Amino acid sequence: MIRTALQTVTPEPEAPEAAARDEHIAPAPRVSIQAFCETVESAAAVQSAGEDRRLGKAHVKIQMGGITAAIEAYRGSPTPNVIMLETDGRGDGILTGLDALAEFCDAGTRVVVIGRTNDVTLYRELVRRGVSDYMISPVGTIDVVRSICGLFSAPDAKPVGRVVAVVGAKGGVGASTIAHNIAWAMASDLALDSVVTDLDLAFGTAGLDYNQDPPQGIADAVFSPDRIDTAFVDRLLSKCTDHLSLLAAPATLERAYDFGPEAFDGIFDALRATMPCIVLDVPHQWNGWTQRTLVNADDILIVAEPDLANLRNAKNMFDYLRSARVNDHRPSYCLNQVGMPKRPEIKPADFAKALEDQPVAIIPFDPQTFGAAANNGQMIAEMSSSNRNAEIFLQLAQLLTGRSEVKKAKGGLLTPLLAKLMKK
Ligand SMILES: Nc1ncnc2c1ncn2[C@@H]1O[C@H](COP(=O)(O)OP(=O)(O)OP(=O)(O)O)[C@@H](O)[C@H]1O
Ligand SMILES: [Mg+2]
């Protein structure tokens, strides 16, 4: 039927489950979500939630099998940012299942449960176990959207992003190469959305290493501090792979790159709001902003070659950073380009003694592989996934994202509760 202009058009009734007009649901960041459903209805709700604009940046995966399937899945692989679990069991079944899952849950993973029972005691037990939200089935699309977005937008919600700063103890030691390869492993092997931020504005090589020549990048942000917000910084990212983005350095010399200590703060905050993993390629310099960037990072990886100057510098950086971050875990360090023919080297054991810590990795000098990767604009794992160094970069990615390879009882889910109890 053709409607004439005179006909009153009755609006389509709104879907019963649509969000109320005055409800504002903030979009979720680029998180990975895995749902383990028991019923096709819930699976369908999660599926269509994944298509909602507010979850446009998130990656949603669904499988059937509930908690049992989740335990099976995470026994040997890292957990995503959010796990949704549907259970049709009664209280005890859910709790036993969650306790089993807690053993395999990585720190930072949030758990949402969809259950059938509306029971305060059960709800309290779930909260005690660190479950972030409990929804009573049947759940609609918007319930799922609201729940997931709420995890990241509540006033007390932790920002999603974890900042890992990688810096060399000397120039040219391979810090950038290692930063780029670790970010690659985070994105491709751990399926975590990651961004490499190239802070070496004049000479940075991230664009070359990922074979990208984006027209814009970090300079556009740092020279326009008034415009910085999440959407603006988002537009400056260039996409390298499904999960990996780059905030590239201009690597041009028309401008001088002098910055105040806080120049990059707004950019890091904007990235933290949407990106789970932020890898900072920090140039080997010691000034207000590099110092501040390192002190404020969630994790620090210092890259050193096995010689005396590197040892001295690494020791000084360690001492400085430890005293500036007394309540954080220590920076990590790795040795790179180890075993260069004919070069006298300082042994890893001597580094460990001076720094009072073992290196998290010892990467061999391998000019053929690293040289070819650099000249081809490829990562080591892209050239050969079986290369021993690709495995090392994956282990470093796991370590720096808190996703350890050997799954042992870490009590990820239980941590908040335990921490509270210990404080009492
Ligand atoms: N393990 C290794 N074996 C052989 N060559 C390596 C290794 N690691 C890095 N390289 C090479 O060393 C050179 C310097 O690497 P890179 O640019 O990553 O160092 P950097 O510490 O970031 O330097 P800069 O101080 O200039 O920022 C590159 O050509 C890289 O391919
Ligand atoms: Mg570099």
Side-chain angles (χ1 to χ4, degrees), residues 166-181 198 200 203-205 209 281-285 303 305 335-338 340 362-375 380 389 393:
V166 183
V167 65
K170 244 181 78 172
V173 293
S176 299
T177 308
I178 289 175
H180 306 162
N181 278 281
D198 192 342
D200 188 351
F203 303 113
T205 49
D209 285 0
D281 179 354
V282 184
H284 176 70
Q285 299 169 9
V303 179
E305 271 189 54
L335 296 174
N336 189 29
Q337 314 208 26
V338 172
M340 190 185 285
I362 299 175
I363 303 169
F365 176 65
D366 181 354
Q368 202 164 1
T369 311
F370 282 85
N375 288 342
I380 303 292
N389 295 307
F393 292 130

Side-chain angles (χ1 to χ4, degrees), residues 298-312:
D298 295 299
D299 280 287
I300 303 165
L301 177 65
I302 298 173
V303 179
E305 271 189 54
D307 67 21
L308 187 60
N310 273 279
L311 177 60
R312 187 218 35 204

Side-chain angles (χ1 to χ4, degrees), residues 11-332:
E12 294 284 325
E14 263 182 71
E17 60 177 30
R21 219 170 267 279
D22 57 354
E23 181 182 8
H24 175 69
I25 302 178
R30 284 187 174 75
V31 284
S32 49
I33 301 158
Q34 278 182 20
F36 294 85
C37 297
E38 296 270 18
T39 63
V40 285
E41 290 78 14
S42 298
V46 179
Q47 167 88 35
S48 60
E51 289 155 17
D52 185 272
R53 65 181 170 84
R54 281 155 290 217
L55 294 187
K57 287 191 182 135
H59 305 268
V60 182
K61 271 198 197 152
I62 304 162
Q63 70 180 75
M64 303 305 285
I67 277 192
T68 323
I71 296 169
E72 230 12 79
Y74 299 128
R75 207 179 281 282
S77 57
T79 47
N81 299 109
V82 180
I83 303 176
M84 296 196 94
L85 299 166
E86 182 176 24
T87 164
D88 52 10
R90 302 236 117 239
D92 280 355
I94 309 178
L95 299 178
T96 330
L98 281 172
D99 289 342
L101 183 65
E103 298 192 9
F104 308 114
C105 226
D106 294 299
T109 292
R110 297 165 217 215
V111 176
V112 172
V113 175
I114 307 174
R116 298 204 162 173
T117 34
N118 185 358
D119 170 357
V120 177
T121 328
L122 170 65
Y123 186 73
R124 280 210 193 104
E125 282 301 315
L126 293 174
V127 172
R128 267 166 54 83
R129 280 167 171 76
V131 166
S132 299
D133 195 11
Y134 180 66
M135 291 190 282
I136 298 166
S137 55
V139 291
T141 304
I142 198 68
D143 301 323
V144 177
V145 172
R146 186 184 293 118
S147 171
I148 294 173
C149 294
L151 297 178
F152 301 98
S153 64
D156 58 345
K158 285 196 209 138
V160 64
R162 192 181 172 95
V163 174
V164 176
V166 183
V167 65
K170 244 181 78 172
V173 293
S176 299
T177 308
I178 289 175
H180 306 162
N181 278 281
I182 291 175
W184 178 272
M186 288 172 179
S188 55
D189 297 312
L190 306 180
L192 293 168
D193 270 28
S194 310
V195 57
V196 169
T197 306
D198 192 342
L199 294 170
D200 188 351
L201 274 80
F203 303 113
T205 49
L208 296 178
D209 285 0
Y210 292 124
N211 199 16
Q212 297 263 329
D213 188 15
Q216 50 191 14
I218 187 139
D220 302 84
V222 76
F223 288 116
S224 321
D226 302 341
R227 297 180 62 195
I228 290 173
D229 61 21
T230 305
F232 179 66
V233 174
D234 231 58
R235 282 198 296 277
L236 301 177
L237 302 179
S238 58
K239 211 167 161 64
C240 300
T241 67
D242 197 16
H243 290 287
L244 186 67
S245 305
L246 168 65
L247 191 54
T252 52
L253 301 179
E254 289 76 35
R255 285 179 124 135
Y257 301 107
D258 298 318
F259 303 112
E262 288 157 27
F264 292 93
D265 288 10
I267 302 174
F268 299 156
D269 287 347
L271 289 172
R272 263 185 213 270
T274 70
M275 276 287 181
C277 301
I278 300 143
V279 176
L280 304 181
D281 179 354
V282 184
H284 176 70
Q285 299 169 9
W286 199 250
N287 51 39
W289 71 263
T290 49
Q291 227 178 26
R292 185 176 168 87
T293 299
L294 294 172
V295 169
N296 288 331
D298 295 299
D299 280 287
I300 303 165
L301 177 65
I302 298 173
V303 179
E305 271 189 54
D307 67 21
L308 187 60
N310 273 279
L311 177 60
R312 187 218 35 204
N313 296 354
K315 167 95 180 116
N316 286 344
M317 290 163 94
F318 249 65
D319 290 347
Y320 175 86
L321 291 168
R322 275 184 199 163
S323 62
R325 299 158 50 94
V326 279
N327 300 317
D328 288 87
H329 59 90
R330 300 156 157 228
S332 306

